[in-house]
Amino acid sequence: MAALEPFTLALNERQNGMADAVLATWRASAEKTPTLEIVPPGLDAATWAGVVAEFQVILGENGVLTSHEHRVRYHDPYAEHQDEKEQEKRGSSATLFPITVEHVQAVLRICNTHKIPIWTISQGKNLGYGGPAPRVKGSIILDMKRMNKVLEVNDRFSYYTVEPGVTFFDIYKAIQDQKKNIWCSVPALGWGSVVGNALDRGWGYTPAGDHSNQICGIEVVLADGTVVRTGMGALDKSVCWPLFRGGYGPTYESMFSQSNFGVVTKLSLWASPSPECFTQCRVDVDNEEDLAPLIDIFQDLLIREAIQNHPLIGNLPRELVKRGPRSQFYGGEGAIPDSRLKELQQELGIGWWSARFSLYGPKEINEVNYKRVEAAFKKLPGAKVSCKVFTPGEGREFVHPEDMPAEDRTVETGTPSLMALKAVEYRGKDGGHISFSPILPADGKAAVAFYYAAKARCAAYGFEYFGGLHLYPRHLAMINMMYFDRTNTTERHEANKLFVELVKLAREHGYSEYRAHVDYMDLVAEQFDFNGQSLMQLNQTIKDALDPNGILSPGKQGIWPESYRGNGKGVVVAPVKGPAVNGVNGTVRGVVDTIVNGVDDALAKLKV
């Protein structure tokens, strides 16, 4: 077994050690399975060897990884199957590590020539959604981690511009090293990519935590090698690229979120300025049914801007995950009974639901807003509101996370961490999870109705419902983590069956996912069925125009290129015939056809 390089990204040795332990566990598990020799679809072994040699000339010997070491590093650690069956389904052929935009263009040129599918990742840490593994067997993994420059940190306008290999630890350290008065925004695990997270509509916990909506300016390489900059970046040597989203004419940032229309190589993200005061807050409520008023009170505070970041509401099982393995709290079969959960609630002295949120701004304003929060929650009997207040350190004008006690430097301060890695050990040391993440209205009654239905469905499969509700002024993402022991085949299979059931349940309530595991991208895409799936028709039309050879991440978000459709892959969507729903279908198709004809003409003039 090859030795692992020590993990050094985290801010302290304890977390680096945690990462080392988790990575070693994944590797040891992967090493138990022999590596199958996999080549890209349509290529024989001799042609593939020649293609690999071409990649090595472009990227250098260290820029290409194949065979056993490639397979061990680039598999989904939480996949339903941990054997040859998984390789037969989604095994990849090699990993490439570009450093420059020119490298990306050269790789795309070769892949177009041989029609080799590429699966682009930034760090491959999209855990619970498929990790680095592709949808199509034989794909090449295009790993952007060596494109890792922090290009600019600007605290006057509060933004940073980065390449896709920049992690949340990297941007945090850059801000501290440059002594900038800006707080980055980080998700629960800091080892992922800033760019990858924003493009997949991930989020952090500061006021600028809704990452996809903070994007201002993207550089993207299209399938034919053309480099495009969106917005004001379309001006050569633009000075307003990271400042104004609109540009001139149509805007395209969202077109490259959760899509397979291009390879993003640079991105600017708006961030939060360092606050004059930071108030860390928590609310606990005693009863399960208190969720409805809890959501409604928060929603009103959010929409009236009394709270600056989004509250995260978690239930009791979610709190248990942070405190130790399941065996520490319950040794029986099936989901932990409510009666035992109530006992644990008393033993631990916490609410059935607890919520974290923060206030940012001048101390006087935070004090006023905290009083608004207290007054609002007086309407909910038994609600316990608490806070900690942090002001600037000596000689400083603004609060800096580095001045705060280590235990208070949470994600709400923009401080990256790896502590959430411990959660996967809930059902076993070698643990994993699948994430189910539907979007609901920010409405207490609706949320409670779906929560009870989803909780019952989880219990039927032997799982607790782990509620992590990310609440915004108008919507909430109701994240449910389905933890399982990777060494327990039954648990892995049951978790995957449960995911499918929950997708169907959400659709019955009028909801669906905003994000999906690679195994279920087609299933989730099928739920978006308005007007004969006209949105998917639009996606497929754009895909075929921009990527006629279908090389870029085929099947991502259910968007398959024409060459894959009808082969048992993807959501096959035919144009709707007859009267259109609301009379719009014919108009949409006509507009799309006109656009695409123009795109086709333009592409015909370009050399691929």
Side-chain angles (χ1 to χ4, degrees):
M1 185 188 301
L4 282 171
E5 293 183 6
F7 190 86
T8 58
L9 269 179
L11 302 180
N12 59 64
E13 287 311 306
R14 179 190 177 198
Q15 291 186 28
N16 282 324
M18 287 171 52
D20 285 335
V22 169
L23 293 170
T25 299
W26 291 350
R27 186 178 185 90
S29 178
E31 289 281 4
K32 296 174 184 176
T33 302
T35 297
L36 304 180
E37 290 300 322
I38 295 174
V39 300
L43 270 62
D44 57 36
T47 304
W48 173 230
V51 171
V52 170
E54 288 186 71
F55 287 139
Q56 288 173 334
V57 170
I58 294 166
L59 302 174
E61 191 172 334
N62 294 329
V64 183
L65 187 65
T66 60
S67 303
H68 181 69
E69 186 62 24
H70 153 74
R71 198 271 301 174
V72 169
R73 287 200 216 171
Y74 289 88
H75 71 289
D76 177 4
Y78 300 160
E80 181 177 3
H81 303 283
Q82 294 291 324
D83 51 24
E84 290 94 334
K85 187 173 182 180
E86 187 66 24
Q87 293 181 64
E88 288 288 2
K89 182 172 67 172
R90 291 199 286 133
S92 51
S93 55
T95 302
L96 307 181
F97 304 95
I99 299 176
T100 66
V101 170
E102 290 75 20
H103 282 168
V104 174
Q105 291 173 302
V107 167
L108 294 180
R109 184 178 64 250
I110 294 171
C111 289
N112 269 302
T113 299
H114 297 280
K115 295 184 172 57
I116 300 172
I118 293 176
W119 189 260
T120 304
I121 64 172
S122 299
Q123 287 288 336
K125 295 298 192 294
N126 205 10
L127 303 177
Y129 295 102
R135 293 215 59 190
V136 174
K137 179 184 174 183
S139 294
I140 290 172
I141 307 296
L142 188 66
D143 188 340
M144 308 290 279
K145 69 174 56 173
R146 293 206 299 179
M147 295 185 70
N148 58 1
K149 296 185 185 69
V150 175
L151 299 169
E152 184 182 10
V153 178
N154 188 306
D155 58 358
R156 179 179 179 187
F157 297 111
S158 289
Y159 70 83
Y160 34 87
T161 303
V162 296
E163 292 183 331
V166 173
T167 70
F168 292 97
F169 286 113
D170 292 330
I171 189 61
Y172 178 86
K173 290 174 181 176
I175 290 169
Q176 306 310 316
D177 290 346
Q178 296 178 34
K179 295 180 170 52
K180 299 289 189 177
N181 290 314
I182 187 174
W183 280 15
C184 60
S185 177
V186 302
L189 289 172
W191 61 0
S193 161
V194 174
V195 169
N197 179 277
L199 293 177
D200 208 34
R201 302 201 183 104
W203 53 66
Y205 298 85
T206 64
D210 190 0
H211 294 159
S212 65
N213 286 324
Q214 307 303 323
I215 295 173
C216 184
I218 286 174
E219 179 183 88
V220 59
V221 183
L222 302 182
D224 67 353
T226 302
V227 181
V228 173
R229 288 186 173 181
T230 63
M232 299 305 291
L235 285 174
D236 195 21
K237 299 178 183 177
S238 171
V239 296
C240 292
W241 187 25
L243 307 180
F244 178 65
R245 292 193 186 105
Y248 181 72
T251 56
Y252 290 101
E253 276 87 355
S254 293
M255 178 175 163
F256 298 103
S257 293
Q258 288 194 358
S259 80
N260 49 12
F261 299 152
V263 178
V264 173
T265 50
K266 293 179 183 65
L267 180 148
S268 291
L269 206 64
W270 290 347
S272 300
S274 301
E276 300 91 333
C277 175
F278 170 68
T279 305
Q280 197 176 71
C281 305
R282 180 182 174 109
V283 175
D284 286 271
V285 295
D286 287 335
N287 304 309
E288 193 171 18
E289 61 270 20
D290 288 338
L291 178 61
L294 183 67
I295 288 173
D296 290 340
I297 291 169
F298 268 130
Q299 190 273 334
D300 187 65
L301 290 167
L302 282 165
I303 209 159
R304 296 180 187 281
E305 300 182 348
I307 297 172
Q308 288 73 51
N309 75 333
H310 82 270
L312 170 57
I313 303 171
N315 66 347
L316 184 59
R318 190 176 184 278
E319 283 291 320
L320 298 183
V321 166
K322 302 175 188 177
R323 297 167 186 257
R326 185 177 188 271
S327 58
Q328 181 177 315
F329 306 107
Y330 183 68
E333 297 294 324
I336 300 176
D338 284 354
S339 57
R340 176 59 183 146
L341 289 175
K342 289 300 289 185
E343 291 175 354
L344 289 168
Q345 183 183 350
Q346 295 302 314
E347 291 170 18
L348 298 173
I350 57 178
W352 186 282
W353 296 97
S354 59
R356 291 177 5 217
F357 62 99
S358 298
L359 307 176
Y360 304 76
K363 186 171 183 290
E364 298 79 7
I365 300 299
N366 282 9
E367 288 173 350
V368 169
N369 282 329
Y370 186 68
K371 288 178 180 178
R372 293 169 71 185
V373 170
E374 285 186 309
F377 278 105
K378 281 183 179 178
K379 303 170 187 174
L380 178 52
K384 302 176 184 67
V385 183
S386 58
C387 76
K388 289 184 178 181
V389 178
F390 299 91
T391 52
E394 186 176 351
R396 291 194 191 270
E397 186 178 359
F398 305 105
V399 179
H400 280 245
E402 299 287 303
D403 295 335
M404 299 169 61
E407 64 272 17
D408 295 310
R409 295 204 307 257
T410 61
V411 288
E412 286 84 5
T413 68
T415 304
S417 169
L418 289 178
M419 292 305 295
L421 275 176
K422 299 296 287 183
V424 298
E425 298 178 359
Y426 178 70
R427 282 183 174 254
K429 187 70 175 177
D430 188 358
H433 69 81
I434 299 176
S435 299
F436 174 65
S437 45
I439 299 296
L440 279 66
D443 174 77
K445 183 178 179 181
V448 166
F450 185 72
Y451 160 71
Y452 279 127
K455 178 186 173 185
R457 200 64 55 94
C458 289
Y461 282 84
F463 294 95
E464 293 83 35
Y465 183 96
F466 295 92
L469 285 65
H470 297 258
L471 183 62
Y472 292 88
R474 296 171 180 84
H475 76 277
L476 69 85
M478 187 176 265
I479 308 299
N480 177 22
M481 305 287 269
M482 290 164 278
Y483 294 103
F484 54 86
D485 181 349
R486 294 202 309 154
T487 66
N488 186 318
T489 302
T490 300
E491 282 192 11
R492 291 205 318 265
H493 293 342
E494 291 299 293
N496 280 270
K497 289 178 187 175
L498 173 58
F499 178 89
V500 174
E501 287 294 313
L502 289 173
V503 170
K504 294 176 180 177
L505 178 68
R507 189 67 187 90
E508 292 170 9
H509 285 251
Y511 314 135
S512 191
E513 294 246 277
Y514 81 100
R515 196 175 186 184
H517 189 285
V518 291
D519 279 346
Y520 302 108
M521 285 179 172
D522 291 340
L523 171 67
V524 173
E526 288 171 2
Q527 312 309 308
F528 291 80
D529 53 2
F530 170 76
N531 194 18
Q533 294 185 315
S534 56
L535 176 61
M536 182 55 73
Q537 291 182 48
L538 177 59
N539 289 337
Q540 290 174 346
T541 301
I542 294 170
K543 178 66 174 173
D544 293 343
L546 295 181
D547 184 12
N549 290 321
I551 64 170
L552 294 181
S553 300
K556 184 172 176 61
Q557 260 62 56
I559 305 170
W560 292 94
E562 185 176 17
S563 57
Y564 287 79
R565 299 197 290 272
N567 295 324
K569 295 181 182 294
V571 182
V572 181
V573 180
V576 177
K577 297 180 180 179
V581 178
N582 296 330
V584 301
N585 187 67
T587 303
V588 171
R589 289 301 305 177
V591 172
V592 169
D593 288 342
T594 301
I595 294 171
V596 172
N597 288 337
V599 173
D600 284 343
D601 291 340
L603 288 175
K605 298 174 184 177
L606 296 171
K607 292 181 180 180
V608 177

